[in-house]
Every structure is written in structure tokens, then in C-alpha cells.
Amino acid sequence: MNDAQKLYDARLKRTNLRPGQDITTDTVEAAYEIQDEILNMQNESAAGYKISMTSPETQRLFDSSEPVFGPFTESQIISEMSLADYNIPLAELELVFYVNETLSLEDDAENILSKCTVAPALELPDGRYDDWFPNISNTKSLQTVPLPVQLSSGKLNQRAMMS
């Protein structure tokens, strides 16, 4: 079974994977390919995109030298959620880009922005690994980075984006 199928199945079954054992992908390019495969498995298209790891501090946490992006679909835009639907949920404030017109590789930043609506969102990423998010509460160099909120019980009644 390939990495995309393993991640997709883990999402559907709400099970955890073992880092470095269950998933073997180790490049950003391969991760983006998996992202595209999972989007196809969901039989949905992207309604827009979000950008993560925009600060050097956050990039260092994940051993990255650049921000990364990810699509979100209409089914991931929710108005109510139950923690029973999540493995290890977090809450993060994000900027999302709703795509209003077709984007092309030739588009520069100005054209991309003119074809999108930028909006705030509450992202609810869910872990596929135990202890998947670095413990940044004790990291002094990250004092200016907003900390995600670990969700532990109850319901959240807001417009949110699920990962």
C-alpha cells in the first residue's frame, strides 16, 4: 500500500501511524504528490488553499526552509464539529485563499491575489501520529509565534476548516 493510501485510510479509520515506519516519504515534492493523491481519493477539488509555516521559527520546528501550502475542499468547511471525529485535534488561526478564478503557472503574486478571496479561518488539523505536533510551549525562541490550542473536550461551534 502506498503512503497516500495509508494516510487516507488512517484518516477514515481515525488511527495513528508510526513515523518513519508506516510512511516513507521524505521530500517536500513527494509530500505534495501525496497531497494531490489524497485529494483525488476524496473525489473532490480544492475550494482554496492555506499556507503554513510562514515564519522562520515555525519552519525550524519542522526542519523546513520554506512555507508549505495545502488545499481545502468544500466538505472541509464546517460550521460545527465534534471532538469524537478527531484523533489528536489542534486549533490554529490561518489565512485561507478561496480560489474564484482558474490559476495558472504564469500568474504572478498580483494576479493570484486578484483571483482569490483571502479570509481568516480556524483550522482544525488532526494528528496521524502520537505526539505529532512539537512541544513549542517551552521554546523561548518562539515567543512571538502564536501557540495552537490543544482541543480536549466539548464542541466548537464556529466556521472552521478541517484538515
Side-chain angles (χ1 to χ4, degrees):
M1 181 181 313
N2 69 27
D3 287 349
Q5 189 67 53
K6 289 177 188 175
L7 285 163
Y8 185 70
D9 289 349
R11 181 182 192 177
L12 292 178
K13 296 174 186 174
R14 287 183 284 225
T15 58
N16 285 352
L17 300 170
R18 295 169 298 170
Q21 295 174 7
D22 293 320
I23 303 298
T24 58
T25 300
D26 62 357
T27 67
V28 172
E29 294 78 16
Y32 280 129
E33 288 176 21
I34 288 172
Q35 188 172 267
D36 290 340
E37 286 181 57
I38 291 173
L39 191 63
N40 288 332
M41 288 176 187
Q42 295 173 173
N43 200 27
E44 291 186 86
S45 58
Y49 296 87
K50 67 144 201 145
I51 300 173
S52 290
M53 301 187 323
T54 56
S55 73
E57 294 87 358
T58 307
Q59 291 168 18
R60 277 195 295 275
L61 280 172
F62 293 95
D63 195 26
S64 180
S65 59
E66 60 190 33
V68 295
F69 70 91
F72 62 90
T73 64
E74 286 296 329
S75 69
Q76 291 175 300
I77 302 170
I78 60 174
S79 59
E80 186 174 309
M81 56 84 65
S82 169
L83 290 176
D85 295 334
Y86 292 83
N87 242 3
I88 307 165
L90 294 173
E92 299 175 337
L93 292 174
E94 299 283 356
L95 286 178
V96 294
F97 296 76
Y98 288 92
V99 179
N100 303 318
E101 296 178 42
T102 302
L103 301 175
S104 74
L105 294 174
E106 291 76 37
D107 284 337
D108 60 15
E110 187 175 323
N111 285 336
I112 290 171
L113 287 174
S114 73
K115 295 178 178 183
C116 294
T117 301
V118 181
L122 180 63
E123 180 187 13
L124 304 171
D126 192 15
R128 300 291 162 248
Y129 304 107
D130 289 327
D131 300 320
W132 71 278
F133 198 89
N135 181 1
I136 60 176
S137 61
N138 296 324
T139 308
K140 292 183 182 186
S141 65
L142 297 175
Q143 291 175 356
T144 60
V145 177
L147 301 178
V149 176
Q150 180 87 39
L151 299 176
S152 58
S153 64
K155 285 190 174 185
L156 180 69
N157 292 308
Q158 274 189 330
R159 186 169 169 84
M161 183 178 67
M162 296 186 326
S163 288

